[in-house]
Amino acid sequence: MAYLLVMGGLALSVCFTLGWGLVRATRWLVGRLPGAGRKPSRRPPRRAPSRPGAAPQSRAAPQSRAAPQSRARKAAPAKAPPEPWRLTRWLARRRSPLPLGMLALLLYAGSRLAEYGMAFRPQAAPGEFHGLVSSLGWVAAALLTLASMNLLALWRCRR
C-alpha cells in the first residue's frame, strides 16, 4: 500500500511538472508568433542618478606644494563594467529553474524518506524504485545548479 501511495504521488508530481512545462512552452511559442503583441515592461525604465556638479570656486586657491601630490593620489576614473554575454542575458530572462529545482528537491526528499521506510519492511522494495530515487536526485541537483546560474546571471545583468 505504501508503495502505491508513493509511486502514485511521484506519478502525479511528474505529470504536474510536465504539464507545467508544456504550458510554459506553449505560452512562449504563442508569444513568438508574428501577430502576438509584446507586453510593456512592468518596471519603469532606469534613469541614471543625477549627480550634482562641483560648485565653482569663487576665489582662486593658493598654489601649494601639496597640490601636485593630491592630483597623483586621485584614482583614475572607474571604467564601466563590460556588457554581459548574450548567454548571460538569455539565462537571466528565464524564471523556471528555481521552482522546478525546488519541486524536484521536495520529490527527492519524499521518495528518499519512503525508500528509508521501505528498508524496514519484510518485503524488498522494487529495484526500479531505487533507480528512480537516484535519478530524481541527479535531476534535482542539475536543476538547482541551473537555478543558481540563473540567479548569478540576474545579478550580473542588474549591476
Side-chain angles (χ1 to χ4, degrees):
M1 183 68 175
Y3 175 75
L4 291 177
L5 287 175
V6 169
M7 292 305 284
L10 281 173
L12 181 66
S13 299
V14 167
C15 288
F16 174 78
T17 303
L18 291 177
W20 182 56
L22 183 65
V23 167
R24 294 290 295 185
T26 305
R27 284 185 182 173
W28 178 77
L29 285 173
V30 168
R32 301 288 290 184
L33 290 176
R38 300 280 182 217
K39 294 181 186 176
S41 176
R42 294 180 191 169
R43 292 185 225 151
R46 288 187 177 182
R47 293 184 182 171
S50 59
R51 297 182 182 166
Q57 295 180 353
S58 60
R59 60 185 178 136
Q63 295 289 342
S64 67
R65 293 182 193 176
Q69 292 174 355
S70 65
R71 282 188 220 141
R73 289 183 187 167
K74 287 184 183 176
K79 294 181 181 178
E83 183 75 18
W85 293 346
R86 194 177 343 163
L87 177 66
T88 305
R89 290 191 308 260
W90 178 83
L91 192 58
R93 287 190 301 263
R94 302 296 168 255
R95 303 269 186 218
S96 59
L98 187 59
L100 281 176
M102 294 304 289
L103 179 65
L105 184 66
L106 288 173
L107 285 173
Y108 173 69
S111 59
R112 189 76 175 158
L113 184 64
E115 184 182 33
Y116 178 75
M118 285 183 188
F120 295 104
R121 291 182 11 180
Q123 298 96 0
E128 296 85 22
F129 184 71
H130 299 296
L132 177 70
V133 170
S134 90
S135 63
L136 192 57
W138 283 109
V139 167
L143 282 173
L144 289 175
T145 302
L146 186 63
S148 64
M149 288 173 51
N150 177 270
L151 291 174
L152 285 173
L154 277 171
W155 172 76
R156 172 69 176 98
C157 287
R158 287 188 183 169
R159 278 190 354 172

